[in-house]
Amino acid sequence: MSFDIVNDEEIEKALLIAVDTGDYDAATSIKELAQLADTAGAEVLGEMIQKRDAVDAAAFVGKGRLKEISEFCKNNEIDLVIADSELSPVQVRNIEDATDTRVVDRTTLILDIFASRARSKEGKLQVELAQLRYSLPRLTGKGVSLSRLGGGIGTRGPGETKLETDRRHIRRKIQYIKNELDNVERRREMQHKRRKKNGVLTAAIVGYTNAGKSTLMNRLTDAGVLQEDKLFATLDPTARKLLLPDGRRIMIVDTVGFISRLPHQLVDAFRSTLEEATYADVILNVCDASSPECENHIKTTNDILASLFDGGIVNVPVISVFNKCDLVGDISDVAFLSEAKSVCISAQTGYGIDNLLQAVTDVLPQTRRRVNLLLPFDKAAIAAKIRNDGMIHSEEYIQQGIFLDCTAEISFLDTIKDYIV
């Protein structure tokens, strides 16, 4: 099994290994791992799944399978073994000793992809925080060397080992990054308060990675967000204005994609970014309708959202957006029929986008109303205000004054109710 790699200089030949204990669908999970490896720039030459009641505490797989892995690595000049689970330091060391090949686990691979994809200062800090948190309990006494923040003479206690020094350095750096992210979060909270004060409504796009969130964002707003058929193509949130059918302008925010068994270090590190959803007035849960794992992907997203909302989404309306419906033979087979609020679209072709915009309009608080107005000619300023803040569907100058078919803010209509026909 192999994939096309964009950058030939970074190609590593990889072998994927997994243990099927029955806790999840191992075959589906290892296919997703292959996509992750492709995204990271590796060429997958093989996959091995072993059925066991539990993973081996010493080497992840059994002795017989470990020997097979070692022979495969030698015969195929494998550079990297990737395990579809989180490995302990002991398991990593034993597999490396047996295969003479570098070993990483699923979490390390995802962290590596995040590190290569983060562009903003906040995104880079979040990824580094997740990496440090993951590496701290995995430091072994092999003299791991890390750059120091400050440091120098007098920083080591009497008899302190290099390992203890590295651990202290990581803890200190974790605290530094957390302080930086706290500052970023405070600024974000101020932005949210400002939006609420100004009456700005927000829609958050969430969903499984590679479901087409960035494509949808570009279709709705011409945001120019990177679109790739890869997992985690974009990490940094993007916010753009969106015009709804009733003339309202809302802020739409794209967020980082989810994935099954998303490392909790990443959920914690990206919590401030993911919490864009908790501030939203409506959430668009985007899913790939053409994927056989569509329903599982929706469940994964809902579970992560529930954790962000401390147990469940109560007051925020969620619209299930089933993307890539143009790739589905029979739309009636798609799970969206069972969803209470759902829309079937194709962000690539534009199919169903009007229905999606109307669905967003319908679930948002009704702050506007469509009415007919008859304005005296000396009240033309009212028409100008509606044109600026609302929407004029038609305008006609008649003998009695200016006749408008318009949508305006309800609070404003209360002040001009004498002119409503």
Side-chain angles (χ1 to χ4, degrees), residues 6 38 51 62 120 182 302 315 324 365 369 406:
V6 176
D38 175 42
K51 282 196 173 186
S120 67
D182 285 344
N302 287 337
N315 299 319
K324 307 185 186 180
R369 186 155 57 93
C406 63

Side-chain angles (χ1 to χ4, degrees), residues 49-308:
I49 301 178
Q50 183 180 34
K51 282 196 173 186
R52 291 175 60 95
D53 292 335
V55 299
D56 184 81
F60 184 58
V61 295
K63 291 181 180 178
R65 184 51 58 94
L66 184 59
K67 187 176 180 181
E68 289 179 33
I69 292 171
S70 179
E71 290 174 356
F72 187 93
C73 290
K74 189 178 298 182
N75 295 335
N76 294 275
E77 298 181 345
I78 296 296
D79 304 302
L80 183 64
V81 174
I82 307 175
D84 193 26
S85 295
E86 206 167 277
L87 298 178
S88 68
V90 172
Q91 289 169 331
V92 171
R93 184 173 65 248
N94 288 338
I95 298 173
E96 286 182 341
D97 289 345
T99 62
D100 196 26
T101 306
R102 193 161 59 88
V103 176
V104 299
D105 59 16
R106 180 186 177 93
T107 300
T108 303
L109 181 62
I110 293 175
L111 288 170
D112 182 77
I113 293 170
F114 271 54
S116 66
R117 298 279 174 162
R119 293 290 178 267
S120 67
K121 178 183 177 183
E122 180 185 6
K124 291 176 180 178
L125 285 172
Q126 288 169 326
V127 173
E128 187 176 4
L129 177 61
Q131 288 177 318
L132 290 172
R133 281 175 167 169
Y134 187 66
S135 65
L136 182 59
R138 286 168 171 76
L139 280 184
T140 57
K142 289 188 175 181
V144 179
S145 180
L146 297 168
S147 60
R148 298 177 62 84
L149 284 177
I153 297 174
T155 59
R156 298 193 188 196
E160 184 177 41
T161 66
K162 183 69 168 67
L163 180 60
E164 290 168 343
T165 306
D166 287 342
R167 283 178 176 149
R168 185 194 297 173
H169 165 60
I170 289 180
R171 291 191 186 97
R172 187 166 62 243
K173 195 162 188 181
I174 285 174
Q175 189 57 51
Y176 168 78
I177 294 174
K178 286 174 68 176
N179 291 339
E180 289 289 300
L181 289 174
D182 285 344
N183 293 333
V184 173
E185 191 169 354
R186 278 193 289 271
R187 287 196 295 271
R188 181 179 281 114
E189 285 181 359
M190 289 176 62
Q191 289 176 347
H192 290 307
K193 288 178 181 178
R194 203 156 46 236
R195 287 178 190 171
K196 291 296 181 185
K197 183 179 179 181
N198 295 332
V200 178
L201 297 172
T202 307
I205 300 178
V206 303
Y208 212 77
T209 181
N210 207 30
K213 297 186 301 301
S214 297
T215 306
L216 177 59
M217 185 75 168
N218 289 338
R219 170 66 63 177
L220 293 173
T221 66
D222 295 322
V225 180
L226 174 67
Q227 299 173 207
E228 274 191 293
D229 187 19
K230 288 180 179 289
L231 304 187
F232 303 115
T234 53
L235 290 183
D236 300 312
T238 304
R240 294 289 186 275
K241 288 183 180 179
L242 174 65
L243 181 65
L244 294 178
D246 65 356
R248 282 185 289 182
R249 287 177 174 81
I250 68 169
M251 188 73 69
I252 187 163
V253 183
D254 187 16
T255 60
V256 64
F258 301 151
I259 195 169
S260 61
R261 294 152 59 218
L262 185 68
H264 66 85
Q265 293 90 353
L266 280 177
V267 175
D268 291 341
F270 277 79
R271 181 168 291 273
S272 60
T273 302
L274 295 173
E275 282 180 347
E276 286 286 354
T278 67
Y279 291 104
D281 297 284
V282 58
I283 295 173
L284 307 183
N285 183 353
V286 182
C287 182
D288 180 357
S290 66
S291 170
E293 296 299 312
C294 180
E295 291 189 59
N296 289 334
H297 292 174
I298 292 175
K299 183 180 183 304
T300 297
T301 303
N302 287 337
D303 289 345
I304 294 175
L305 284 175
S307 70
L308 293 174

